[in-house]
């Protein structure tokens, strides 16, 4: 596979643990010269967020942004650093309109359920999995989507079904979903950064993995999931 001639400068926003941030850093590291981007900036709304510690440990600039910087100054923070793609990884704040508009087609989010169900304002963390369990749904799974002006509404890029077991707790379901996020999200980020996955002017996404391969997924089949994603999104 050809080595990219230029890599994207990627910013990751995270409010919490940063396990998806870590998965993205690790995936880019594993890709080596084939990687389409470098995480060069990690921002959080919480000074003590473990995601910031993960960034520090990886030698990446990590900043806790105060309310003023998050609202009015975010676009400038990104411009100053030459950021080309923004990755939301468990970021709980609404992204300002000017940033959404400037990064249309260049900003993605991961949500821990199959949108458009179980999403929207206030649907994050354990609340999502609680709602899935309360609904009686037999399938959940992560959704990766482009970000637009409304929480969890942007064009869907990729989803992967994860079974809901009859005896699932919020914790067991969350663990099953996030394990798939760690496989899916870094690969989608790579594919978006290298332009393989795109948001068209008509609002449609091109270059996405086909859903047929998702239908074959069964519990514990993470190796096949990874192979299938690598086949379609490239490494
Ligand atoms: C993930 O479940 C993701 O779907 C949601 O927030 C969580 C972030 O987890 N948007 P982590 O901070 O990456 O561990």
């Amino acid at each position: 596979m050809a080595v990219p001639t230029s890599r994207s400068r990627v910013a990751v926003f995270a409010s919490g643990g940063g396990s998806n941030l870590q998965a993205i850093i690790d995936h880019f590291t594993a890709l080596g010269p084939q990687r389409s981007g470098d995480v060069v900036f990690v921002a959080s709304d919480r000074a003590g967020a473990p995601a910031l510690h993960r960034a520090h440990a990886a030698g990446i600039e990590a900043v806790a942004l105060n309310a003023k910087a998050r609202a009015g100054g975010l676009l400038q923070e990104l411009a100053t650093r030459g950021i080309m793609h923004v990755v939301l990884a468990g970021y709980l704040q609404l992204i300002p309109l000017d940033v959404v508009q400037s990064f249309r087609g260049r900003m993605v989010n991961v949500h821990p359920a199959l949108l458009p169900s179980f999403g929207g304002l206030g649907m994050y963390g354990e609340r999502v999995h609680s709602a899935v369990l309360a609904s009686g749904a037999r399938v959940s799974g992560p959704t990766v989507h482009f970000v637009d002006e409304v929480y969890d509404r942007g064009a869907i890029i990729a989803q992967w079904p994860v079974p809901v077991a009859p005896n699932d707790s919020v914790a067991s379901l969350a663990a099953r979903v996030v394990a798939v996020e760690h496989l899916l999200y870094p690969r989608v980020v790579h594919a978006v950064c290298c332009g393989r996955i795109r948001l068209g002017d008509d609002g449609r996404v091109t270059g996405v993995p086909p859903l047929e391969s998702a239908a074959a997924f069964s519990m514990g089949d993470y190796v096949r999931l990874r192979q299938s994603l690598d086949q379609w999104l490239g490494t």
Side-chain angles (χ1 to χ4, degrees):
M1 188 169 292
V3 175
T5 50
S6 68
R7 287 191 199 114
S8 174
R9 294 175 61 79
V10 178
V12 177
F13 291 0
S15 298
S19 69
N20 278 286
L21 163 68
Q22 192 68 58
I24 292 163
I25 293 170
D26 292 347
H27 189 61
F28 277 156
T29 300
L31 291 178
Q34 310 284 352
R35 71 190 182 280
S36 59
D38 291 301
V39 180
V40 297
F41 180 50
V42 173
S44 182
D45 54 322
R46 297 181 180 175
L52 293 178
H53 299 302
R54 290 182 190 267
H56 274 301
I60 297 166
E61 182 189 8
V63 174
L65 299 171
N66 62 29
K68 191 174 165 203
R70 290 198 306 271
L74 201 51
L75 191 58
Q76 187 56 43
E77 297 279 354
L78 298 172
T80 301
R81 293 167 176 87
I83 299 300
M84 296 150 74
H85 290 89
V86 174
V87 173
L88 307 184
Y91 187 63
L92 299 180
Q93 304 291 329
L94 190 66
I95 301 296
L97 193 58
D98 59 346
V99 177
V100 171
Q101 290 172 343
S102 291
F103 282 85
R104 192 174 298 282
R106 295 186 293 131
M107 176 158 48
V108 293
N109 181 46
V110 63
H111 183 76
L114 298 174
L115 295 174
S117 298
F118 311 112
L121 182 63
M123 286 297 276
Y124 60 87
E126 293 188 352
R127 295 183 193 185
V128 177
H129 302 296
S130 293
V132 170
L133 292 176
S135 77
R138 287 286 162 256
V139 178
S140 190
T143 300
V144 182
H145 63 93
F146 284 112
V147 174
D148 73 5
E149 292 80 358
V150 178
Y151 276 116
D152 299 329
R153 188 193 64 177
I156 292 172
I157 300 170
Q159 297 181 303
W160 208 272
V162 169
V164 179
N167 58 351
D168 258 335
S169 62
V170 165
S172 64
L173 178 58
R176 194 175 306 120
V177 172
V178 82
V180 175
E181 288 179 28
H182 293 163
L183 295 172
L184 184 64
Y185 204 24
R187 287 164 173 80
V188 171
V189 167
H190 171 67
V192 169
C193 287
C194 70
R196 191 171 309 165
I197 289 177
R198 290 171 191 268
L199 180 66
D201 292 338
D202 59 358
R204 296 176 74 91
V205 180
T206 55
V208 296
L211 280 179
E212 304 85 85
S213 46
F217 183 67
S218 61
M219 207 179 315
D221 200 2
Y222 297 118
V223 172
R224 192 146 53 94
L225 163 61
R226 196 174 64 221
Q227 288 170 343
S228 179
L229 287 169
D230 285 343
Q231 180 185 343
W232 284 100
L233 296 178
T235 54

